[in-house]
Amino acid sequence: MSRVRVPLSGLRAGLRELEVDEARYVRSVLRLREGDTFIVFDPEQVVQAEARVTSTPRGGVRCEVGEVTRAGRVPDVPAWLLLGVCKGDRFEWALREATALGVTDIVPTLCARSASSGTRADASRMGRWRKILVQGARQSGRGDVPTLHEVRGLREAVASVPGSLVRVCLWEGAAVSAGPWLRAGASGVALLVGPEGGIEVDEAGVAEASGFALGSLGPMILRTETAVIAALGAWQMGRERPSS
Amino acid sequence: MSRVRVPLSGLRAGLRELEVDEARYVRSVLRLREGDTFIVFDPEQVVQAEARVTSTPRGGVRCEVGEVTRAGRVPDVPAWLLLGVCKGDRFEWALREATALGVTDIVPTLCARSASSGTRADASRMGRWRKILVQGARQSGRGDVPTLHEVRGLREAVASVPGSLVRVCLWEGAAVSAGPWLRAGASGVALLVGPEGGIEVDEAGVAEASGFALGSLGPMILRTETAVIAALGAWQMGRERPSS
């Protein structure tokens, strides 16, 4: 009973020859051989199936995909993450772990401290970010991927959040804890987290004017990716009622 | 008003010539020059001061340290982290971010899936881990560092936790959410987080027999370092009462 998961687009039951990249992953990384079984999933269709390696001709992998079923582990409430675009590693780390923590929508947001990151070609960047989200789903056992929205400026980003969500801007300058707001967002939340260097005072003002509560994650200064994970962890755990 | 912070041991007011490593950090990484001010802190003594570069002779740095005061940002309740020893990067990432999130005590814990990590020389490893903790304090603005306990086997580790703390073992096999337990630990908590690959069933049993509640962080599988950050974020945010 292997928990190894391989993302496959256009998943359906029957015989299938894997693409070059997929085959390399199955053979060289997972080291699967003829007869080994693994899980295949299609995060776009939100389905999964068991597959078995039937042969490995000349570096390729042929497999038999079993019955395709609805993927089980998908988020049940909306959780938007408006994330300040910053240096590659940190941003991508945050994307991947936010996927594991059940975010449903991601809006890459250009903030004052996003530096020059905004000038790179968006198409290739979006493609790379989509791969990171699939990676996050594969590692965490999640059956779908978050919707990746286009890169937006801060004003546009805060205005794009559905009206029903509780809005929280994580800001180290906030006078109060984000805790109560994260709990209040149990049925739907939108989090704004700045890039490395944080959110500037007037940006916090823009968010506040759009209905975002300004809340702090505590007295210490946190890295962007740590703030994302800590806030989502608090939100997830706050959704569960105490068992009294 | 620079927020740049430099750790210095044996901190006291007056003129001081920095050690080679410290001087390199101040000149090459922070790019401070004569007349620039910065914060120096001593996490062992839990004190800090303002310092000013007075001269930079031949690659060195001389500075004047001002009045030494008690450091402000230190955790106010005990939070123990029993962390499964695993591959360097992940373990060290977790140590550094746990420092930023207010952990007071760290027990590196040898678990079944800690692999061969247990066999390396402990002395050099402990020295390296201490540096990571100071780094976490420097980055986050924390005035002290967590106490780093000796590496322990799981049975020893769970038995070493003070009796007053609420004990939570984060385990993906748990039937209930860790949320209520993390909130119950508002005045003191001990978290057990397994290494990469997780905690085995009989290890969860050992923890449970020592008074650890078994709780899950949700349906998805999380990396060790993500589990640590998410759980500590939930614990920190659960400490704040709703402002009703």
Side-chain angles (χ1 to χ4, degrees):
Chain A
M1 198 194 69
S2 166
R3 275 202 320 209
V4 156
R5 300 173 84 234
V6 177
L8 281 191
S9 54
L11 186 63
R12 57 180 176 277
L15 286 172
R16 172 154 181 164
E17 175 127 18
L18 298 187
E19 306 275 338
V20 175
D21 281 1
E22 297 163 350
R24 191 182 301 124
Y25 180 69
V26 164
R27 288 180 66 135
S28 306
V29 180
L30 302 177
R31 305 196 161 277
L32 299 184
R33 299 289 174 257
E34 208 176 305
D36 287 342
T37 61
F38 56 107
I39 304 292
V40 284
F41 76 109
D42 179 347
E44 298 300 328
Q45 294 188 74
V46 198
V47 292
Q48 63 181 26
E50 193 173 283
R52 191 172 51 84
V53 178
T54 54
S55 64
T56 55
R58 294 182 316 281
V61 170
R62 282 188 196 136
C63 60
E64 174 144 32
V65 175
E67 192 193 352
V68 173
T69 58
R70 193 92 194 139
R73 295 180 190 171
V74 293
D76 52 359
V77 301
W80 285 53
L81 176 62
L82 281 55
L83 184 58
V85 174
C86 58
K87 211 170 59 174
D89 279 6
R90 283 161 182 250
F91 189 82
E92 292 172 4
W93 186 286
L95 289 188
R96 196 187 54 219
E97 300 311 303
T99 303
L101 287 161
V103 156
T104 59
D105 290 80
I106 292 170
V107 185
T109 303
L110 291 176
C111 298
R113 295 185 193 152
S114 287
S116 60
S117 326
T119 60
R120 264 187 277 154
D122 269 5
S124 83
R125 198 164 54 162
M126 292 289 281
R128 185 173 160 76
W129 290 344
R130 277 201 194 86
K131 277 190 191 160
I132 304 274
L133 299 181
V134 172
Q135 203 182 74
R138 177 173 61 70
Q139 290 179 359
S140 64
R142 178 170 166 171
D144 67 344
V145 281
T147 300
L148 180 63
H149 297 264
E150 296 296 318
V151 178
R152 291 174 186 153
L154 181 69
R155 277 175 199 282
E156 245 191 309
V158 294
S160 71
V161 173
S164 58
L165 306 184
V166 170
R167 297 148 150 74
V168 191
C169 168
L170 299 167
W171 188 46
E172 60 178 79
V176 297
S177 165
W181 299 106
L182 293 170
R183 283 191 291 277
S187 312
V189 76
L191 297 179
L192 169 60
V193 181
E196 199 184 338
I199 278 182
E200 297 194 341
V201 178
D202 59 340
E203 293 183 309
V206 168
E208 204 171 17
S210 261
F212 279 72
L214 306 179
S216 137
L217 284 173
M220 264 61 102
I221 297 154
L222 303 180
R223 288 164 173 257
T224 290
E225 62 274 36
T226 296
V228 167
I229 297 168
L232 287 170
W235 170 69
Q236 280 279 12
M237 290 299 96
R239 294 177 57 202
E240 310 282 341
R241 298 296 101 212
S243 54
S244 74
Chain B
M1 198 196 70
S2 165
R3 275 203 319 209
V4 154
R5 300 172 85 234
V6 177
L8 281 189
S9 54
L11 185 63
R12 58 182 173 275
L15 287 170
R16 172 153 180 166
E17 175 130 18
L18 299 187
E19 307 274 338
V20 175
D21 281 0
E22 298 162 349
R24 191 182 300 125
Y25 179 69
V26 164
R27 289 180 66 135
S28 306
V29 180
L30 302 178
R31 304 196 160 279
L32 299 184
R33 299 287 173 258
E34 206 175 306
D36 288 342
T37 60
F38 57 105
I39 305 292
V40 285
F41 76 108
D42 178 346
E44 298 300 327
Q45 293 188 74
V46 198
V47 292
Q48 62 180 27
E50 193 172 282
R52 190 172 51 83
V53 178
T54 55
S55 64
T56 54
R58 293 184 315 281
V61 170
R62 282 188 195 136
C63 59
E64 173 143 30
V65 175
E67 191 194 352
V68 173
T69 58
R70 194 91 194 140
R73 295 181 187 170
V74 294
D76 52 358
V77 301
W80 285 52
L81 175 63
L82 281 53
L83 183 57
V85 174
C86 57
K87 211 170 59 173
D89 279 6
R90 285 163 178 246
F91 189 81
E92 291 172 6
W93 187 286
L95 288 187
R96 197 188 53 217
E97 300 311 302
T99 303
L101 287 162
V103 156
T104 59
D105 290 80
I106 292 169
V107 185
T109 303
L110 292 175
C111 298
R113 293 183 194 154
S114 287
S116 60
S117 326
T119 59
R120 266 189 275 156
D122 269 5
S124 83
R125 197 164 54 162
M126 292 289 279
R128 186 172 160 76
W129 290 343
R130 275 200 195 88
K131 277 189 192 162
I132 303 274
L133 299 181
V134 172
Q135 201 182 77
R138 177 173 60 69
Q139 291 179 359
S140 64
R142 177 169 167 172
D144 67 342
V145 280
T147 301
L148 181 62
H149 297 264
E150 297 295 318
V151 178
R152 291 175 186 152
L154 181 70
R155 277 175 198 283
E156 244 190 311
V158 295
S160 70
V161 173
S164 57
L165 306 185
V166 170
R167 298 149 150 73
V168 191
C169 168
L170 298 168
W171 188 47
E172 61 178 80
V176 297
S177 164
W181 298 106
L182 293 171
R183 284 190 290 277
S187 311
V189 75
L191 297 179
L192 169 60
V193 181
E196 199 184 339
I199 277 181
E200 297 193 341
V201 178
D202 59 339
E203 293 182 310
V206 167
E208 203 171 17
S210 261
F212 279 73
L214 306 179
S216 138
L217 285 173
M220 263 61 102
I221 297 155
L222 302 180
R223 289 165 173 258
T224 290
E225 62 275 36
T226 297
V228 167
I229 298 168
L232 287 171
W235 170 70
Q236 281 278 10
M237 290 299 97
R239 292 177 58 200
E240 310 284 340
R241 296 298 99 214
S243 53
S244 68

